[in-house]
Amino acid sequence: MTTRHPAPRLPRALRTRLARAAAALLAATALTACGQQAESQPPGAATEFHENGVTVRLSVAGWTSSTGTLVATFTPDDAGFHLYSTALPAQGIEGVGRPTAVRPAGSLATAGAMTVDKPVKTIKVPGVRSAVPVYPDGPVTVTLPIRATAPGEAKVLIGYASCSSTEGCTIPVADRAVVLRTAEDGLSFGAS
């Protein structure tokens, strides 16, 4: 009959150090990978601005052969604020609200359907008979396929309004122009 001997184990302190070293190596690998992804984006292909209680960050993803995807993230400054649906009429419903809008102009054109990362819900607003379509409170990301129609100056026109059921609404932003330059080798955001 043979007696089983437990496998030799490393001392606890050494196991802890090895586990920490492995975790640090994994974290460094992840950070390096993130850095490589950021470098693959064309220089100048991102910008942001802040106006009337919302920060808007614009970037272009997957730009190849004069096409790509415009990504616009709208982040209200304060918790409890929502943005209105992209499908809201330009003048709102009974004058309430303004649509979230991302519209290319100049040497840029739309190349597909706009999508939004949040579902639309409806709310009742005092004094308004119809329900008003909004996104849930917090940030909303809109994506829009775009294409360059020629090298030169282009604009993305941004519109939005944010509201809270307890704090009221911010002043709407309409047709806020963000300038881009399109060229044969890519595009970049300019002064806006």
Side-chain angles (χ1 to χ4, degrees):
M1 180 181 247
T2 60
T3 307
R4 289 190 177 214
H5 296 286
R9 294 189 71 171
L10 296 173
R12 176 180 233 148
L14 183 56
R15 286 189 317 232
T16 301
R17 277 187 265 151
L18 286 173
R20 287 182 183 155
L25 182 60
L26 284 172
T29 302
L31 287 173
T32 301
C34 289
Q36 289 171 345
Q37 287 175 341
E39 289 173 15
S40 69
Q41 187 177 44
T47 191
E48 72 178 42
F49 68 89
H50 178 267
E51 190 171 341
N52 297 353
V54 176
T55 297
V56 179
R57 184 176 196 317
L58 297 167
S59 63
V60 177
W63 186 260
T64 55
S65 302
S66 301
T67 63
T69 302
L70 182 65
V71 180
T73 302
F74 299 80
T75 305
D77 289 349
D78 298 317
F81 277 77
H82 60 262
L83 292 148
Y84 290 95
S85 167
T86 57
L88 190 73
Q91 296 305 311
I93 293 181
E94 298 176 37
V96 172
R98 292 295 177 267
T100 300
V102 177
R103 190 168 45 94
S107 63
L108 275 181
T110 301
M114 180 184 299
T115 60
V116 183
D117 72 337
K118 299 289 190 288
V120 173
K121 66 178 191 170
T122 56
I123 61 171
K124 292 299 282 177
V125 176
V128 177
R129 292 181 303 261
S130 300
V132 179
V134 300
Y135 297 112
D137 292 354
V140 173
T141 298
V142 174
T143 57
L144 179 66
I146 56 172
R147 64 181 172 83
T149 57
E153 185 173 285
K155 292 180 182 175
V156 176
L157 302 175
I158 303 293
Y160 59 87
S162 66
C163 279
S164 162
S165 59
T166 58
E167 302 294 320
C169 297
T170 61
I171 297 170
V173 172
D175 291 335
R176 166 63 148 81
V178 177
V179 177
L180 294 99
R181 297 240 9 118
T182 60
E184 291 180 13
D185 61 344
L187 80 150
S188 61
F189 285 96
S192 56

